[in-house]
Amino acid sequence: MLLWNLSIRSRLCLCHFPVFDLKGFSGIGRGREKKVALMDPSKQCLICVPLTAKTVKKMLFQLELAKESGADVAELRVDLISGFDAAADLPVLLKDKPLPVIVTPRAKWEGGEYKGSEESRQDILRMAYDLGADYIDVELKVAGGFIQELRSRGKDSTTKIIVSNHNWDFTPSDEEIHATIEQMWATGGDIVKYVTTAQDITDVAQVFHFLSESKGPTIGLAMGPAGMISRLLAPKFGGYLTFGALCKGQESAPGQPTVQDLIEVYRVKSMDRDTMVYGVIGKPVYHSKGPVLHNKGFEELNLNKVYVPLLVDDFNKFMNVFNRPDFHGFSVTIPYKEDALKLCDRVENAAKIIGAVNTVVRETTGEYQGYNTDCEGALSAIEKGLRHSGLANNDETPLKGKLFVVIGAGGAGKALAYGAKERHARVVVANRNYERAKALAESVGGKAIELDQLSDFRPETGMILANSTSIGMEPEVTRSPIHKDALSAYALVFDAVYTPKQTQLLKDAAEMGAVTVSGEEMFYGQAFAQFRYFTDLPAPESAMRDVISKPAAAKKGKLRAPVSAQCSIGTYSRGRMISTRLGFDKLLQRGLYPNSAQFGMLMDKSQVQLVNLAFRC
């Protein structure tokens, strides 16, 4: 059941067809409901890996890796192959291919790299069609005449024609998209591929809309960081296929996840129209381990749910556009915890006192319920650290009487200050904006100082320091909110940042003799509480911890768990070992490589990351 409701306070009735209220999609309102016949729900969305190698031999190698990775289709971006000779190279690429392929000589005027004439480019497509490629990709600009010419030849072919259109600048209005898609179907192609660029995550709603009302096999995606969810949720909204790169660094378009993430983290092969969507709202957000953690929990309990990263620029706008029953719950992180408090219809008392919400659940009534799980997650982690290190002088409340210094006055800072006060600590708040620090400190009966004063603030020893800001988060991993020498006054230092696990602050604190507590423990605690709010079930804590802390076990013959390359490729023995263990005997038998070592040496470091079995089995 698919229901779009774009007015945050309106309530919807359930029905048997998707109903779209188009108010809110690019500001367009039609003032009517439209029932749409859905695509066959039994058709599973395919996973396609775009192959971006610069030579035919390397593309053949990537083709085998694509098969091993679990992909259903591979896109041969032949426009990227240096000196590509269609007559000589296409038969090699298409012979004995391990999985279906799309042949794509993408034109420069459509964002590709093909350097020859338009006629020679179309000759590649004609040849691929005649050789029986599973798919060919033809741009809308030339598709009408080209497809008509192919069909007029009267030659039987099983090749499916994808008619594609890419907008590299923005996402057009719903009316413009609809008109363009109608033009694409009018060309006589078998599949429509409409790709936009998301300037804001709410642009993705346009993509979900046209996918859900499509009258035939349709590929719909939004490029760019803000468009990531279009790729992750394509199966839910009826997309014919979605794209996943072999590994990071080999993306064919911005915002493309890896095929491993699509399969292992987001479980797109089991996703359907009934899948409930959850996610983490923030900016930045792609550093979050939330999707790995929560999706593992859903998998363990066999729940038809998925948790995705949501890169949001305007919190209220996002919540308005995606106010629908199957977007059921959200984790809220920097900088939107206070916005979430204002938006929710009902808020638990602790969250009201803290002044921040980090968990939002959409009730069956359509109302939003707000919670704060940061407080308990962080303070429990700090207390555990005190007990384990022998610093606790009170078994019931280890923080009682201690001077507790909080860096930051945002949502997480408020949670830490409130929790420390509840545990009878003396609270000091340090923040760049002194007025905000003062307001928070006064609310918990504490003291405020400016962040610049923190390095000279040493009224006593044995203090507790808790950083609630994003200072030190990837990619700025060398930054710390306090000078190293000042840390000698602290008995325990906690950092809410958990990527990286050992921040510069924690490294400095350990060198100065303080006990350190990583934000990872806070992350686990607050996430387990969120999981219960999302599902009404206890979180499978052991499995969820393991998926973060322990690498997936390597499976012989599978490329599911990438590992960092331990060495470079180039020696004869390593090349032979890799190619032998991959079992790509047929490529060697076809005479494409003089020996297995040359085959193995085709891998660069990014490709070695895929071959976990090469060094571990």
Side-chain angles (χ1 to χ4, degrees):
M1 188 180 318
L2 298 173
L3 298 166
W4 278 111
N5 177 357
L6 304 180
S7 174
I8 202 160
R9 293 291 177 256
S10 60
R11 307 294 176 236
L12 294 175
C13 298
L14 304 184
C15 60
H16 296 294
F17 295 92
V19 178
F20 292 86
D21 177 359
L22 298 180
K23 297 175 183 176
F25 282 99
S26 298
I28 297 165
R30 292 184 180 178
R32 62 186 177 88
E33 295 180 343
K34 181 177 181 180
K35 292 185 177 181
V36 180
L38 296 177
M39 294 284 293
D40 184 351
S42 67
K43 300 296 184 183
Q44 184 186 71
C45 181
L46 303 175
I47 297 177
C48 179
V49 173
L51 306 185
T52 59
K54 304 300 182 184
T55 70
V56 171
K57 288 184 178 180
K58 285 190 176 183
M59 190 165 283
L60 285 168
F61 177 79
Q62 289 184 342
L63 191 54
E64 296 291 344
L65 288 181
K67 172 65 175 178
E68 289 294 313
S69 73
D72 304 297
V73 185
E75 181 183 35
L76 308 182
R77 284 295 303 273
V78 297
D79 57 302
L80 303 178
I81 296 177
S82 179
F84 182 72
D85 181 344
D89 297 335
L90 264 181
V92 173
L93 287 168
L94 296 178
K95 182 182 179 183
D96 299 328
K97 57 189 185 302
L99 75 172
V101 299
I102 303 169
V103 175
T104 305
R106 181 70 69 221
K108 277 196 170 185
W109 42 262
E110 191 82 3
E113 295 294 331
Y114 188 75
K115 295 180 174 61
S117 68
E118 179 58 24
E119 184 60 30
S120 63
R121 195 182 72 85
Q122 292 186 27
D123 282 341
I124 295 173
L125 293 167
R126 292 184 185 94
M127 189 176 300
Y129 186 84
D130 291 339
L131 288 172
D134 303 276
Y135 305 87
I136 59 173
D137 185 309
V138 186
E139 297 84 354
L140 172 61
K141 184 176 177 180
V142 299
F146 180 81
I147 294 174
Q148 186 178 16
E149 179 243 312
L150 280 185
R151 304 294 196 204
S152 67
R153 289 158 51 182
K155 182 176 180 178
D156 291 334
S157 175
T158 59
T159 301
K160 290 183 172 61
I161 301 175
I162 300 172
V163 179
S164 62
N165 187 80
H166 299 75
N167 187 318
W168 290 86
D169 299 315
F170 61 94
T171 298
S173 68
D174 181 73
E175 279 79 5
E176 290 176 275
I177 293 173
H178 178 76
T180 302
I181 289 177
E182 286 300 310
Q183 291 177 28
M184 296 169 82
W185 283 122
T187 64
D190 302 294
I191 300 163
V192 158
K193 177 186 177 186
Y194 190 96
V195 180
T196 75
T197 296
Q199 296 178 325
D200 183 272
I201 193 170
T202 55
D203 291 338
V204 180
Q206 300 282 91
V207 176
F208 292 159
H209 172 214
F210 74 72
L211 278 179
S212 296
E213 69 168 5
S214 62
K215 62 183 181 183
T218 302
I219 303 164
L221 301 167
M223 296 182 289
M228 173 73 83
I229 60 167
S230 70
R231 300 174 182 278
L232 304 180
L233 300 179
K236 174 175 174 58
F237 294 97
Y240 182 78
L241 63 76
T242 188
F243 289 86
L246 271 178
C247 60
K248 290 183 179 179
Q250 294 193 4
E251 300 87 352
S252 64
Q256 207 170 77
T258 65
V259 62
Q260 182 195 3
D261 283 346
L262 288 173
I263 295 173
E264 298 297 325
V265 177
Y266 300 102
R267 298 181 296 146
V268 298
K269 289 197 172 185
S270 61
M271 195 182 296
D272 58 30
R273 292 182 180 272
D274 294 324
T275 300
M276 298 294 288
V277 181
Y278 300 78
V280 52
I281 297 172
K283 185 179 182 180
V285 75
Y286 291 124
H287 67 282
S288 175
K289 295 178 182 177
V292 175
L293 192 77
H294 284 283
N295 285 323
K296 182 61 178 179
F298 295 155
E299 181 183 14
E300 283 292 305
L301 300 183
N302 196 30
L303 302 175
N304 189 12
K305 303 177 186 293
V306 65
Y307 184 102
V308 297
L310 302 164
L311 181 63
V312 171
D313 290 312
D314 183 322
F315 181 81
N316 288 335
K317 181 180 178 183
F318 169 81
M319 295 297 288
N320 183 51
V321 171
F322 287 92
N323 178 31
R324 47 176 294 154
D326 45 0
F327 278 72
H328 188 250
F330 306 99
S331 307
V332 184
T333 186
I334 296 171
Y336 298 120
K337 295 181 182 183
E338 294 175 14
D339 292 298
L341 174 71
K342 297 173 185 175
L343 175 133
C344 287
D345 299 283
R346 291 180 287 113
V347 179
E348 67 167 356
N349 191 52
K352 285 180 182 178
I353 295 172
I354 294 168
V357 161
N358 80 321
T359 308
V360 176
V361 177
R362 191 182 193 278
E363 305 290 354
T364 54
T365 60
E367 292 183 320
Y368 285 119
Q369 172 74 50
Y371 306 91
N372 190 301
T373 66
D374 281 335
C375 179
E376 188 59 34
L379 273 296
S380 295
I382 291 170
E383 289 178 326
K384 186 184 297 183
L386 288 170
R387 290 194 179 99
H388 287 178
S389 61
L391 294 174
N393 55 19
N394 185 305
D395 290 338
E396 183 180 353
T397 56
L399 289 173
K400 185 176 182 179
K402 293 188 180 295
L403 192 61
F404 192 98
V405 180
V406 179
I407 303 176
K414 290 177 179 179
L416 285 161
Y418 168 78
K421 177 198 174 185
E422 290 293 295
R423 288 159 172 80
H424 308 292
R426 295 172 289 140
V427 179
V428 174
V429 180
N431 193 56
R432 282 198 183 94
N433 185 319
Y434 177 74
E435 293 304 317
R436 292 195 68 181
K438 183 180 178 181
L440 175 56
E442 289 178 349
S443 71
V444 294
K447 175 182 178 180
I449 62 173
E450 293 182 3
L451 185 59
D452 291 343
Q453 298 176 301
L454 187 59
S455 292
D456 297 321
F457 182 76
R458 308 182 194 185
E460 61 186 73
T461 58
M463 299 184 291
I464 309 297
L465 180 68
N467 175 41
S468 72
T469 73
S470 61
I471 298 173
M473 181 187 293
E474 291 179 349
E476 297 179 321
V477 296
T478 60
R479 294 185 63 205
S480 175
I482 183 173
H483 193 276
K484 179 178 177 179
D485 292 341
L487 294 169
S488 61
Y490 294 92
L492 181 146
V493 175
F494 164 79
D495 197 338
V497 172
Y498 64 89
T499 51
K501 181 177 180 178
Q502 290 300 316
T503 61
Q504 189 63 49
L505 172 62
L506 294 184
K507 290 177 184 177
D508 290 346
E511 287 186 28
M512 299 307 292
V515 173
T516 61
V517 177
S518 167
E520 190 171 82
E521 285 304 312
M522 172 188 175
F523 169 66
Y524 285 133
Q526 60 84 28
F528 295 153
Q530 287 182 335
F531 191 92
R532 183 182 285 273
Y533 286 130
F534 291 158
T535 66
D536 292 324
L537 296 169
E541 295 185 14
S542 179
M544 291 170 73
R545 279 182 177 271
D546 285 349
V547 76
I548 299 293
S549 61
K550 298 178 182 178
K555 298 178 181 179
K556 191 171 183 179
K558 300 295 181 185
L559 302 178
R560 295 288 191 265
V563 296
S564 297
Q566 299 298 313
C567 54
S568 62
I569 299 303
T571 66
Y572 180 90
S573 59
R574 285 174 182 158
R576 181 174 60 186
M577 178 175 66
I578 290 170
S579 58
T580 299
R581 291 192 179 184
L582 284 170
F584 295 161
D585 296 334
K586 67 181 181 181
L587 288 178
L588 301 175
Q589 292 168 1
R590 286 162 61 186
L592 293 172
Y593 306 95
N595 54 58
S596 58
Q598 278 198 16
F599 180 70
M601 286 189 286
L602 288 174
M603 288 190 294
D604 55 31
K605 283 189 177 182
S606 63
Q607 290 167 323
V608 173
Q609 291 175 5
L610 291 166
V611 192
N612 62 336
L613 66 148
F615 294 110
R616 299 179 62 184
C617 296

